[in-house]
C-alpha cells in the first residue's frame, strides 16, 4: 500500500545533481539523483518524485537569466509573488477589490 504526500522543500540556492524525465500530461519526474549532491542532501529529492512546481527567486539574478525564465514560462501556469509601493488607503481598497474580482472569475 502506498501513500501520496506533497512535500515543500526549504529555500536554498542551487539545486544541482539531479535529472528529470517525462513531460506533457504525464508530468515531470525525478529520474536520477547523485548521492552527495545538493539535490540529495539539501532538497532530499528521490528518484520517482513528481516535480509539481519550482519557485525561482529573483534577488541577485542576472537580467538575462530572469528574461529567459520568464520567456520560457509564458505558456505555463505561473504564480507571482510581488512587492508593490502604494500611496494610500484608496489604492489598498482597489487592490483588494481586484483580488476579489479575480477570485470570483476563477470560481465561475
Amino acid at each position: 500500500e502506498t501513500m501520496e504526500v506533497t512535500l515543500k522543500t526549504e529555500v536554498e540556492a542551487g539545486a544541482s545533481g539531479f535529472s528529470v524525465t517525462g513531460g506533457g500530461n504525464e508530468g515531470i519526474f525525478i529520474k536520477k539523483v547523485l548521492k552527495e549532491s545538493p539535490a540529495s542532501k539539501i532538497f532530499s529529492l528521490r528518484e520517482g518524485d513528481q516535480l509539481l512546481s519550482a519557485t525561482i527567486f529573483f534577488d541577485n539574478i542576472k537580467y538575462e537569466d530572469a528574461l529567459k525564465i520568464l520567456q520560457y514560462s509564458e505558456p505555463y501556469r505561473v504564480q507571482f509573488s510581488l512587492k508593490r509601493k502604494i500611496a494610500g488607503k484608496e489604492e489598498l481598497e482597489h487592490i483588494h477589490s481586484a483580488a476579489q474580482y479575480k477570485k470570483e472569475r476563477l470560481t465561475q
Side-chain angles (χ1 to χ4, degrees), residues 89-102:
K89 191 167 175 284
E90 306 80 35
E91 195 163 350
L92 261 177
E93 283 169 3
H94 175 71
I95 289 167
H96 182 72
S97 65
Q100 204 56 44
Y101 168 71
K102 190 178 165 221

Side-chain angles (χ1 to χ4, degrees), residues 13-84:
S16 59
F18 70 103
S19 60
V20 296
T21 184
N25 57 11
E26 70 167 301
I28 293 288
F29 291 86
I30 307 296
K31 184 165 78 174
K32 196 165 173 23
V33 183
L34 298 178
K35 272 198 173 67
E36 295 300 306
S37 68
S40 170
K41 289 165 78 175
I42 298 168
F43 294 101
S44 308
L45 299 185
R46 293 187 193 168
E47 289 163 25
D49 284 350
Q50 183 176 4
L51 200 51
L52 299 177
S53 69
T55 302
I56 294 131
F57 293 88
F58 279 33
D59 46 336
N60 301 313
I61 194 171
K62 284 192 288 194
Y63 168 75
E64 293 81 5
D65 291 346
L67 194 62
K68 218 172 269 175
I69 289 164
L70 291 169
Q71 284 171 340
Y72 279 127
S73 66
E74 258 179 42
Y76 307 108
R77 294 198 307 147
V78 297
Q79 182 177 45
F80 292 119
S81 179
L82 309 167
K83 184 197 283 183
R84 178 176 293 161

Side-chain angles (χ1 to χ4, degrees), residues 1-21:
E1 190 184 335
T2 61
M3 264 176 55
E4 279 200 355
V5 291
T6 304
L7 307 168
K8 200 170 184 176
T9 71
E10 292 298 310
V11 175
E12 279 291 341
S16 59
F18 70 103
S19 60
V20 296
T21 184

